[in-house]
């Protein structure tokens, strides 16, 4: 798959059933630009409804926010990639910093989750990003490159067509403090270059790299100016249809 422009909304653990379904309806009632791929990363409990509501609509899909690395078994409370696949969920967010921080997911386990997703026909939206301390130390590119090497570099070349990367600096998530357009572009370019050198130019060129961390309608256009920024993974601002549409529009116009 070649490089695509994508805006994914990560709803995290927000919205009750009625509000979630209404927000999907509100997003569908907006005029989503057709050349952007829009993804809604819903809480698992709403995924089946989301799939049913979106299945005939071009350019918009749901994502799960996580999946377990095992196919099935005694893992109470978990959701497997085959389960997601069985209700036709096309995407799954893997390695979000909140999963790494609160559920102790590490690079090795995330590599297994990526494998489970791909083996079941799901496209991983693989998240990476550094803490404020690492950013201040100046080692942010090395650190994020290592996250990618450890969780994705075991994949054979053909698998990369189904990978999307989301760079989300932890210090910019939910803080209102976004990376500057220059900081986002610097990291995206560094990752693309590293993947180009260590994997192949073809893989690097065709990879969509999204930025996440306090993206809003007011800063999206600036962030999307970066040549290596192919879209956004949006948290808080994806919970309002109007604001979310403005971000998708900003990408369409970039
Ligand atoms: P915010 O947009 O709320 O900062 O969240 C970003 C994020 O974590 C998306 O996955």
């Amino acid at each position: 798959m070649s490089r695509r422009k994508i805006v994914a909304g990560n709803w995290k653990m927000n919205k009750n059933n009625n509000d979630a379904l209404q927000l999907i309806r509100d997003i569908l009632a907006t005029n989503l630009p057709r050349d952007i791929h829009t993804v809604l990363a819903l809480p698992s409990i709403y995924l089946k409804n989301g799939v049913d509501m979106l299945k005939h609509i071009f350019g918009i899909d749901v994502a799960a926010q996580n999946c377990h690395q095992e196919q099935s078994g005694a893992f109470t409370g978990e959701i497997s990639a085959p389960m997601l696949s069985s209700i036709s969920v096309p995407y799954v967010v893997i390695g979000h910093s909140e999963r790494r921080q609160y559920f102790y997911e590490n690079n090795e386990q995330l590599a297994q989750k990526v494998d489970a997703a791909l083996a079941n026909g799901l496209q991983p939206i693989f998240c990476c990003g550094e803490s404020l301390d690492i950013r201040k130390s100046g080692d942010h590119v090395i650190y994020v490159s290592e996250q990618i090497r450890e969780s994705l570099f075991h994949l054979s070349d053909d698998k990369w067509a189904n990978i999307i990367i989301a760079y989300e600096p932890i210090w910019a998530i939910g803080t209102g403090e976004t990376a500057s357009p220059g900081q986002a572009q610097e990291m995206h370019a560094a990752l693309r270059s590293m993947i180009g050198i260590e994997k192949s130019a073809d893989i690097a060129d065709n990879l969509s790299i999204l930025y996440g961390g306090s993206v809003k309608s007011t800063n999206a256009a600036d962030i999307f100016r970066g040549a290596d920024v192919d879209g956004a993974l949006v948290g808080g601002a994806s919970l309002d249809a109007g604001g979310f549409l403005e971000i998708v529009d900003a990408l369409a116009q970039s």
Side-chain angles (χ1 to χ4, degrees):
M1 218 170 288
S2 58
R3 201 156 147 189
R4 289 174 296 160
K5 288 184 162 188
I6 300 167
V7 175
N10 177 5
W11 291 14
K12 308 191 179 184
M13 195 176 72
N14 290 296
K15 303 280 177 192
N16 65 27
N17 187 55
N18 285 344
D19 294 345
L21 299 187
Q22 189 56 47
L23 180 52
I24 297 174
R25 282 193 284 271
D26 289 348
I27 290 169
L28 289 178
T30 64
N31 220 347
L32 285 170
R34 299 197 129 235
D35 50 342
I36 304 297
H37 203 87
T38 305
V39 178
L40 308 178
L42 306 177
S44 327
I45 193 166
Y46 310 135
L47 283 171
K48 177 72 173 87
N49 273 325
V51 166
D52 289 343
M53 290 168 82
L54 304 180
K55 70 180 164 201
H56 296 306
I57 304 188
F58 177 79
I60 179 163
D61 279 304
V62 300
Q65 296 177 9
N66 178 38
C67 71
H68 198 270
Q69 61 272 26
E70 297 295 337
Q71 301 287 305
S72 64
F75 302 101
T76 302
E78 290 292 312
I79 293 182
S80 71
M83 290 175 188
L84 297 173
S85 180
S86 72
I87 59 162
S88 304
V89 171
Y91 296 94
V92 56
V93 176
I94 291 181
H96 192 280
S97 62
E98 288 149 18
R99 301 284 325 168
R100 294 174 187 262
Q101 184 178 351
Y102 303 128
F103 302 94
Y104 311 108
E105 296 187 358
N106 59 38
N107 293 342
E108 189 188 346
Q109 181 186 11
L110 295 173
Q112 295 169 2
K113 290 191 180 216
V114 167
D115 288 344
L118 290 171
N120 288 281
L122 293 152
Q123 293 183 55
I125 301 174
F126 179 80
C127 299
C128 52
E130 81 287 356
S131 65
L132 188 56
D133 281 352
I134 294 170
R135 166 65 58 169
K136 283 186 179 154
S137 76
D139 286 337
H140 45 288
V141 171
I142 296 171
Y143 180 84
V144 177
S145 299
E146 208 48 31
Q147 289 181 319
I148 290 176
R149 281 198 196 91
E150 290 187 8
S151 297
L152 298 179
F153 268 33
H154 64 289
L155 297 175
S156 57
D157 287 5
D158 58 308
K159 298 265 173 42
W160 280 80
N162 291 316
I163 297 287
I164 296 159
I165 288 180
Y167 167 57
E168 299 204 308
I170 297 168
W171 46 273
I173 294 179
T175 58
E177 185 185 346
T178 179
S180 69
Q183 287 172 319
Q185 168 57 21
E186 178 210 33
M187 179 64 82
H188 287 221
L191 296 179
R192 202 183 298 285
S193 158
M194 181 274 287
I195 292 166
I197 293 165
E198 297 179 32
K199 282 287 171 184
S200 79
D202 207 39
I203 288 174
D205 287 348
N206 288 321
L207 186 66
S208 299
I209 308 181
L210 317 183
Y211 168 79
S214 298
V215 176
K216 304 187 267 294
S217 55
T218 47
N219 59 24
D222 281 342
I223 292 166
F224 294 150
R225 255 179 227 121
D228 290 286
V229 179
D230 302 309
L233 181 54
V234 185
S238 70
L239 297 172
D240 164 70
F244 186 60
L245 173 71
E246 285 179 42
I247 296 170
V248 184
D249 272 340
L251 184 60
Q253 282 154 29
S254 69

